[in-house]
Amino acid sequence: MLNYDLLAGNTYYFRLSQNSKYLLEDYEFVVTKDDFGNDMSSAKRIKAGDKISGKMDYKNDYDYFEYTPDSNGKYVALLTNTEKIEITLYNGEGKKLKYASGTDLYLVYDLVVGNKYFIELAQYNDYSARTYEFSLFKEEDGDSINNPIAIRETNEISGYIYGVEDKDYFSYIPKETGVYSIYTKGMDTYGVLYSTNKTAISESNDKSMEDKNFYIVASLEANKVYYILVKGNEGSGNYTLTVEQVNFEDDFGNDESTSAEIEVSTKVQGMLESIDDIDCFKFIPTIDGWYSMEIYASASLRLELWDDSSRIDYKVTSTTGRIGISRKLSADKNYYIKVMRNLDNLGKYELQVYDDDYPSLISEAKDILVGDTISGNFE
């Protein structure tokens, strides 16, 4: 490979020769224009906010960029839509400051106004030409709970997560006391709601098994400041955060007398609309056997199993996730499944009842013999 600066309008000639006179080989000869300089002396000057499309044009290609910040602060150098490219930050004297490699790369570093910096992009362990998108921007307000972005005139605001360590904080002051839903659309996000004194009220990872955006429901008081954290679960991407007051009607009864019947394999979607809300479901097994009552919730909720006289078992979900109660139940007997809040958490959930062919208990293990063929199902 030969690198050389060529002048427009000039004619150049290339001579190709063989190293061994005893070996005949086919070859491909390509002249490629390099899109960006290969060292600091030929680095392209960029500004914060620039978005650059580039390409690793050949084996051992380097692309250099030069930047001089006009203010102190935390800056992010971001690579997207590529892989097998590494990014390195140098100061003006060529000293390495930080390095990263992987997919959807980014560097975060505190830069000093007036100082010169260089960003090097290089390909590693790969000789194919790869395209990339490169941008440099300053991390503005919202990087900590003490420096949040205020949600004021509109209840909707857009944001961007550049990597797993990026955290966006927002503040919100409700005009009316009531129940509010707080959620995102876009990339896969995780959210936390904080009170005025900056303690966590509720956390959520996924709205449902299909929707990987968080969904928080909480009772908020008028004229008090609340804080919202948004962060990504992986990668980078755009999202839209919405905070809105909601008036939910109670979807399911609160006790045995108003319970809704649920059958095996029927999925029920519900919501706890208030601090005192309890959703109660009635289940009557058709045969004796093991059954699993499973819930997937957008926040930490409590699942309880009752018969006509007492509570049989209970479980509490984590921040967001799936839990279940597995029990041996009697045919034609009334059982009640209750979904209720854990601490001050409200939220959406999905509930389903399965007949469990083989319960997850050693004490209930089925005896088998060599040569037996067992049909089973992971419910």
Side-chain angles (χ1 to χ4, degrees):
M1 183 184 65
L2 176 68
N3 296 328
Y4 201 81
D5 291 328
L6 305 183
L7 300 178
N10 287 3
T11 301
Y12 296 89
Y13 299 91
F14 299 90
R15 184 179 70 181
L16 307 180
S17 59
Q18 194 169 346
N19 290 329
S20 173
K21 63 181 178 180
Y22 303 110
L23 182 63
L24 299 178
E25 292 185 6
D26 294 330
Y27 66 86
E28 293 182 356
F29 177 63
V30 180
V31 178
T32 302
K33 183 180 180 181
D34 201 355
D35 48 3
F36 299 108
N38 279 2
D39 52 34
M40 294 180 186
S41 64
S42 58
K44 176 179 175 59
R45 293 181 181 177
I46 60 174
K47 299 179 294 183
D50 285 350
K51 294 183 178 180
I52 298 166
S53 297
K55 183 180 180 181
M56 294 286 109
D57 301 290
Y58 48 83
K59 178 183 175 181
N60 296 328
D61 186 19
Y62 292 86
D63 287 352
Y64 274 83
F65 302 92
E66 177 187 326
Y67 177 66
T68 303
D70 56 9
S71 62
N72 295 328
K74 183 184 293 184
Y75 288 78
V76 180
L78 176 67
L79 265 179
T80 55
N81 299 326
T82 191
E83 59 181 353
K84 295 187 176 181
I85 295 180
E86 57 192 16
I87 179 170
T88 307
L89 176 68
Y90 298 89
N91 64 14
E93 288 72 46
K95 179 182 177 181
K96 180 189 288 189
L97 301 177
K98 200 169 184 180
Y99 160 88
S101 63
T103 303
D104 288 332
L105 298 165
Y106 61 91
L107 288 179
V108 185
Y109 204 83
D110 289 320
L111 304 185
V112 179
V113 60
N115 285 2
K116 184 185 296 185
Y117 298 89
F118 294 97
I119 299 104
E120 174 196 86
L121 307 183
Q123 206 163 228
Y124 65 94
N125 297 330
D126 188 68
Y127 302 141
S128 58
R130 293 190 179 275
T131 59
Y132 61 82
E133 301 290 333
F134 173 64
S135 59
L136 178 74
F137 55 91
K138 185 178 182 181
E139 180 78 304
E140 301 289 354
D141 293 343
D143 58 341
S144 77
I145 198 170
N146 298 315
N147 187 33
I149 298 172
I151 304 175
R152 298 185 186 277
E153 299 303 323
T154 177
N155 291 348
E156 187 174 281
I157 191 168
S158 297
Y160 181 83
I161 296 293
Y162 59 75
V164 292
E165 72 179 55
D166 187 17
K167 298 179 180 180
D168 291 348
Y169 287 88
F170 302 88
S171 63
Y172 181 72
I173 302 176
K175 295 180 180 179
E176 298 180 7
T177 297
V179 177
Y180 288 77
S181 61
I182 304 164
Y183 59 92
T184 58
K185 292 182 179 180
M187 70 170 295
D188 183 1
T189 55
Y190 178 94
V192 183
L193 174 66
Y194 296 90
S195 65
T196 301
N197 60 9
K198 300 176 182 177
T199 58
I201 298 174
S202 184
E203 302 179 39
S204 174
N205 191 2
D206 301 330
K207 182 179 180 180
S208 66
M209 294 180 66
E210 292 78 24
D211 190 340
K212 298 304 179 182
N213 286 271
F214 76 82
Y215 190 95
I216 292 173
V217 180
S219 294
L220 306 183
E221 294 184 39
N223 302 318
K224 284 192 174 182
V225 60
Y226 293 87
Y227 302 93
I228 303 163
L229 164 64
V230 179
K231 63 180 181 179
N233 283 314
E234 60 181 1
S236 60
N238 296 293
Y239 67 86
T240 302
L241 171 66
T242 302
V243 183
E244 59 186 7
Q245 188 173 8
V246 289
N247 295 303
F248 296 115
E249 295 183 1
D250 197 2
D251 48 3
F252 298 105
N254 284 13
D255 55 32
E256 290 82 354
S257 65
T258 58
S259 60
E261 287 200 24
I262 186 171
E263 298 179 349
V264 170
S265 299
T266 300
K267 181 183 291 186
V268 174
Q269 295 183 337
M271 173 176 283
L272 297 184
E273 294 89 4
S274 67
I275 296 297
D276 300 323
D277 189 23
I278 298 174
D279 286 356
C280 187
F281 302 89
K282 183 178 182 179
F283 175 61
I284 305 175
T286 56
I287 59 173
D288 294 345
W290 282 87
Y291 294 86
S292 291
M293 284 64 55
E294 186 176 88
I295 188 173
Y296 189 94
S298 66
S300 178
L301 301 180
R302 183 182 179 94
L303 177 68
E304 295 187 353
L305 176 64
W306 291 66
D307 59 19
D308 283 323
S309 59
S310 62
R311 187 178 69 192
I312 299 173
D313 200 354
Y314 76 94
K315 293 286 180 65
V316 177
T317 67
S318 60
T319 302
T320 297
R322 181 204 306 262
I323 60 163
I325 295 174
S326 185
R327 282 284 176 166
K328 193 171 186 177
L329 305 181
S330 301
D332 302 321
K333 184 177 179 180
N334 294 337
Y335 295 92
Y336 299 94
I337 304 165
K338 298 182 180 181
V339 182
M340 61 191 70
R341 67 182 178 88
N342 178 50
L343 302 176
D344 291 331
N345 292 306
L346 305 177
K348 291 191 172 186
Y349 63 86
E350 295 177 354
L351 173 67
Q352 196 162 3
V353 178
Y354 304 93
D355 50 349
D356 199 350
D357 49 1
Y358 302 108
S360 306
L361 297 170
I362 294 178
S363 61
E364 298 295 326
K366 178 179 175 62
D367 293 331
I368 60 173
L369 300 175
V370 174
D372 284 352
T373 300
I374 306 296
S375 297
N377 182 46
F378 287 110
E379 294 82 16

